[in-house]
Amino acid sequence: MSASLVFWGNILGATLMASLWQSVIVFTLLRLLLWITRDGTAAVRYTLSLGALTVLGLWFALTFYSRWQLQQQSLGYVWEAVRATTQAAGPAAPFSGHHVRDWGTLDVWLGLAYVVGLLASSGRMLRDVIWLNIIQRSRRIPFDEAWARYLDSLAATWRITRNVAVYLSEKIDVPIVVGFFKPVIYLPLALVSRLPETQIEAILLHELAHVKRMDFLVNILETVVETLLFFNPLVGWISRHIRLERELCCDELVISR
């Protein structure tokens, strides 16, 4: 087998094993903090959950880097030992890096399984990107001009400097916000056509709250970490909790408005 595959397989496998106990520590601490702040605002719980996910992502990356350095040092020691043995005993068979660790070790196979799972998880993320691109390129129906002006006034009240557009779409079933620098609110045509004005106003406020909080950008970063740590059910729980608290945060802003 290729020595480079063994090399990277060892690094990934060891990183995955370490990530499991790391996530138990972070998850336990998060649950304790959520219990302490159970009567607090959604913003506090959201910040705690997002912080926990960020810590797990950074800890995973730092562990991978440290394992890479350790593996490099181990490989260097083996090369030095082989070179010294060769000089002392005469010519020997060419050394290949697979002597450092063999393919029977668990961490190598875990690393290979992780790569396969990561490709599948990345495929789901790519599917979501394609779906958003289809929505943006499909027929966009301009919303009522009065509502558009009202949205501009709301954005100015909340000190949102970015220009926020709003359209109706036949491709979606729930309202969404797409874009960070030029955010666009998409409202489902079938839903808006049968809602009273008060509910339309509440929906616009809720989606504008996502823009104010920069949730589109945060959601991208969250998705990246969730993709990298797809194998960990505790990460999945934290990510789902973040999405729940995010919606509650927006509701709190709407109520305050």
Side-chain angles (χ1 to χ4, degrees):
M1 292 292 182
S2 171
S4 61
L5 288 179
V6 176
F7 177 81
W8 291 108
N10 282 321
I11 295 173
L12 281 174
T15 302
L16 296 177
M17 296 296 290
S19 177
L20 293 178
W21 61 259
Q22 292 168 2
S23 64
V24 171
I25 294 176
V26 175
F27 179 79
T28 303
L29 182 60
L30 173 62
R31 290 303 300 266
L32 177 62
L33 293 175
L34 290 177
W35 181 81
I36 294 175
T37 59
R38 61 189 182 279
D39 296 327
T41 62
V44 172
R45 297 190 299 271
Y46 172 81
T47 302
L48 290 173
S49 302
L50 187 61
L53 189 68
T54 303
V55 168
L56 285 176
L58 292 176
W59 205 350
F60 181 83
L62 290 175
T63 302
F64 179 86
Y65 178 72
S66 64
R67 296 292 179 177
W68 175 78
Q69 284 189 318
L70 182 62
Q71 192 75 357
Q72 286 278 71
Q73 293 174 359
S74 299
L75 189 60
Y77 294 149
V78 172
W79 274 106
E80 288 297 328
V82 170
R83 185 179 297 110
T85 302
T86 302
Q87 292 175 351
F95 172 74
S96 59
H98 73 272
H99 291 295
V100 179
R101 301 287 293 275
D102 61 39
W103 280 82
T105 55
L106 177 62
D107 50 1
V108 172
W109 291 107
L110 283 176
L112 293 177
Y114 172 80
V115 172
V116 175
L118 181 62
L119 291 176
S121 185
S122 300
R124 290 192 294 269
M125 186 171 61
L126 179 61
R127 177 199 59 193
D128 293 339
V129 172
I130 294 175
W131 177 72
L132 289 177
N133 188 60
I134 291 175
I135 293 175
Q136 291 180 293
R137 293 181 178 274
S138 62
R139 185 171 72 98
R140 300 190 299 183
I141 305 171
F143 201 24
D144 184 84
E145 185 64 27
W147 280 113
R149 290 196 301 269
Y150 178 64
L151 184 65
D152 291 337
S153 67
L154 290 176
T157 302
W158 277 354
R159 298 180 180 179
I160 299 176
T161 57
R162 290 164 290 165
N163 182 39
V164 184
V166 57
Y167 292 99
L168 301 177
S169 175
E170 301 172 329
K171 297 288 186 179
I172 59 176
D173 298 321
V174 295
I176 61 172
V177 175
V178 179
F180 175 73
F181 296 105
K182 295 181 179 180
V184 178
I185 297 175
Y186 290 96
L187 303 176
L189 177 62
L191 178 64
V192 172
S193 61
R194 61 175 184 267
L195 287 180
E197 291 185 353
T198 53
Q199 293 188 20
I200 294 177
E201 180 184 14
I203 291 174
L204 287 175
L205 281 168
H206 182 93
E207 298 307 315
L208 193 62
H210 281 299
V211 176
K212 176 179 176 58
R213 290 167 37 81
M214 298 184 290
D215 285 337
F216 182 81
L217 179 60
V218 175
N219 188 57
I220 292 176
L221 299 177
E222 177 188 349
T223 302
V224 170
V225 175
E226 192 177 11
T227 300
L228 288 174
L229 303 178
F230 68 92
F231 59 92
N232 196 322
L234 298 181
V235 172
W237 186 94
I238 295 174
S239 186
R240 289 190 296 272
H241 191 73
I242 289 174
R243 292 187 174 92
L244 172 63
E245 297 297 345
R246 177 187 295 140
E247 297 303 318
L248 294 178
C249 287
C250 292
D251 289 340
E252 287 181 349
L253 282 176
V254 172
I255 293 172
S256 66
R257 171 66 186 177

